[in-house]
């Protein structure tokens, strides 16, 4: 079977999805991950076709290179698989990449040059690309970016009010979760062509969370900026904090840059406010008032950003909820629905409890949808196009 491999490499895991190619379409056949890359690594594979679940322990740290080699070898040894190409999720494409790109040496160098803009993610994304270039140089690779979809935004939406010399250093609003927004824009076209042709705000609410205003399916504005820290509170990330507060922590509270980084990326957001958990399911199940406060703060920030994004796109025809919280949390959707009443949204609570997909009431001026996102499928589709099939 002609196949495509999609890789999503993080700091401690290498997630993969294997797609069968059927004409111009792709179908997920297997997915899994090499977990705990820096400890006792473990391979987990779920085979959708065979209905099997395989786990293999290694008893040592494989690291990104060996984990990639392991996957390549496994698929090369499987006579049922003929690997056509590999698609990679890459967090940062800078200003240069407004679309997926076929990887060559020059692209790898360009991606590495972007490491300073995303030091916590980009090196891990590039590691498997390098590994495959060395191990299987003839295998086509395609890089798909979280930032690319937002390059359609007006220049003003991508700017900070900083001097030109500082902006020239690349300090601008890039935006993230672009593969998710692109997927949702495509699905919305199938579900609600009217809304897809108009003004939509998509709420990508997972462990990382952001929102994006779309005009006719193109990104006009988004809540994340230079890094994936700006905007909404997230599982463990603070979202927007006055930069003056960061300077205060550095200047007056004896914290160094690494300590502030750890605070804002790993100890804040739902986790920091609740002091219980970063996980929405646990917070919703908890009777602790701090859990309720964390959820309420998230919803409040979503409500305010919604007003801002609706202003950026000149009104609102539809809202889309997606990712773990957006797809599953009846409570968050209901609360956000109330906060968006002034924009003309009325949620049908019964439809909301069923997870829609349409959760707005018949008389609601703004339509609201719940649409599961699929960033891996988006990467597979891009990869297929880039290799000319
Ligand atoms: P990631 O950004 O890591 O891909 P996900 O999109 O999987 O994250 O979202 C994870 C979040 O979704 C967690 O906060 C989790 O608790 C939440 N979530 C998942 N299922 C539910 C549910 N049934 N109800 C409420 N929240 C949920």
């Amino acid at each position: 079977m002609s196949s495509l491999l999609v890789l999503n490499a993080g700091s401690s895991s290498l997630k993969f999805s294997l797609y069968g190619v059927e004409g111009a379409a792709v179908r997920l056949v297997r997915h899994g991950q090499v977990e705990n890359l820096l400890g006792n690594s473990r391979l987990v594979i779920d085979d959708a076709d065979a209905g099997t679940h395989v786990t293999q322990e290694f008893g040592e740290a494989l690291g990104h290179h060996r984990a990639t080699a392991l996957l390549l070898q496994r698929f090369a040894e499987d006579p049922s698989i003929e690997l056509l190409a590999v698609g990679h999720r890459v967090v940062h494409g800078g200003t240069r990449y407004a679309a997926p790109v076929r990887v060559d040496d020059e692209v790898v160098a360009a991606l590495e040059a972007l490491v300073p803009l995303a030091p916590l993610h980009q090196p891990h994304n590039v590691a498997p690309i390098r590994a495959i270039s060395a191990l299987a140089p003839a295998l086509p690779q395609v890089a798909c970016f979280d930032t690319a979809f937002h390059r359609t935004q007006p220049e003003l939406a991508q700017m900070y009010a900083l001097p030109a010399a500082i902006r020239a250093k690349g300090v601008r609003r890039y935006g993230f979760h672009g593969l998710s927004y692109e997927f949702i824009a495509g699905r919305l076209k199938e579900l609600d062509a009217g809304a897809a042709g108009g003004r939509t705000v998509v709420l990508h609410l997972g462990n990382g969370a952001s929102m994006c205003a779309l005009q006719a399916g193109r990104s006009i504005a988004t809540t994340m900026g230079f890094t994936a820290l700006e905007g909404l509170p997230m599982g463990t990330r603070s979202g927007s904090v006055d930069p003056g507060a960061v300077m205060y922590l550095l200047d007056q509270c004896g914290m160094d840059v690494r300590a502030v980084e750890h605070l804002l990326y790993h100890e804040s957001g739902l986790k920091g406010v609740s002091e219980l958990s970063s996980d929405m399911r646990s917070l919703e199940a908890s009777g602790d008032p701090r859990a309720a406060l964390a959820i309420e703060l998230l919803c409040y920030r979503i409500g305010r950003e919604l007003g801002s994004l609706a202003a950026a796109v000149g009104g609102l025809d539809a809202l889309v909820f997606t990712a773990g919280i957006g797809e599953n949390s009846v409570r968050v959707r209901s609360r956000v629905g109330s906060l968006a009443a002034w924009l003309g949204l009325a949620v049908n609570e019964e439809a909301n409890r069923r997870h829609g997909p349409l959760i707005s009431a018949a008389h609601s001026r703004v339509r609201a949808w719940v649409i599961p996102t699929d960033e891996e499928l988006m990467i597979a589709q891009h990869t297929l196009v880039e290799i000319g099939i």
Side-chain angles (χ1 to χ4, degrees), residues 320-377:
V320 179
F321 291 89
T322 194
I325 297 171
E327 291 165 27
N328 295 294
S329 175
V330 174
R331 175 168 166 182
V332 169
R333 292 194 304 252
S334 175
R335 187 76 188 108
V336 170
S338 312
L339 293 167
W342 67 280
L343 282 162
L345 175 63
V347 169
N348 171 343
E349 287 301 340
E350 200 199 312
N352 186 29
R353 280 191 290 279
R354 289 196 312 265
H355 306 294
L358 182 67
I359 61 166
S360 47
H363 67 274
S364 181
R365 204 188 52 71
V366 171
R367 288 154 77 81
W369 293 92
V370 178
I371 304 179
T373 195
D374 196 338
E375 290 147 305
E376 277 73 23
L377 179 59

Side-chain angles (χ1 to χ4, degrees), residues 47-194:
D47 188 324
D49 279 353
T52 54
H53 177 83
V54 177
T55 327
Q56 189 182 349
E57 304 277 349
F58 295 93
E60 59 172 330
L62 286 185
H64 289 79
H65 185 95
R66 283 172 65 202
T68 309
L70 174 85
L71 293 179
L72 276 191
Q73 191 190 353
R74 243 191 128 90
F75 295 136
E77 283 168 359
D78 186 332
S80 72
I81 296 171
E82 186 214 341
L83 206 54
L84 299 180
V86 183
H88 298 267
R89 181 174 186 177
V90 178
V91 68
H92 223 301
T95 48
R96 176 165 174 181
Y97 297 113
V101 63
R102 180 89 174 253
V103 171
D104 59 20
D105 289 347
E106 198 213 327
V107 170
V108 173
L111 299 185
E112 285 190 335
L114 291 166
V115 163
L117 294 182
L120 304 180
H121 297 102
Q122 192 86 345
H124 309 304
N125 302 155
V126 177
I129 297 179
R130 277 204 163 282
I132 293 170
S133 299
L135 294 162
L139 187 61
Q141 299 191 73
V142 175
C144 300
F145 303 97
D146 278 313
T147 51
F149 184 67
H150 300 298
R151 298 287 67 77
T152 55
Q153 289 181 5
E155 188 58 25
L156 285 181
Q158 302 188 49
M159 275 179 76
Y160 290 114
L162 292 167
I166 300 296
R167 286 186 275 123
K169 293 180 192 290
V171 183
R172 55 190 283 130
R173 309 192 71 247
Y174 294 99
F176 297 88
H177 290 140
L179 292 159
S180 175
Y181 293 128
E182 188 180 7
F183 178 84
I184 295 294
R187 279 292 288 142
L188 190 64
K189 225 187 229 172
E190 296 165 8
L191 289 166
D192 188 343

Side-chain angles (χ1 to χ4, degrees), residues 206-208 278-281 284 323-325 328-329:
N207 282 315
S278 63
D279 191 275
M280 181 57 78
R281 251 172 314 196
E284 287 190 352
I325 297 171
N328 295 294
S329 175

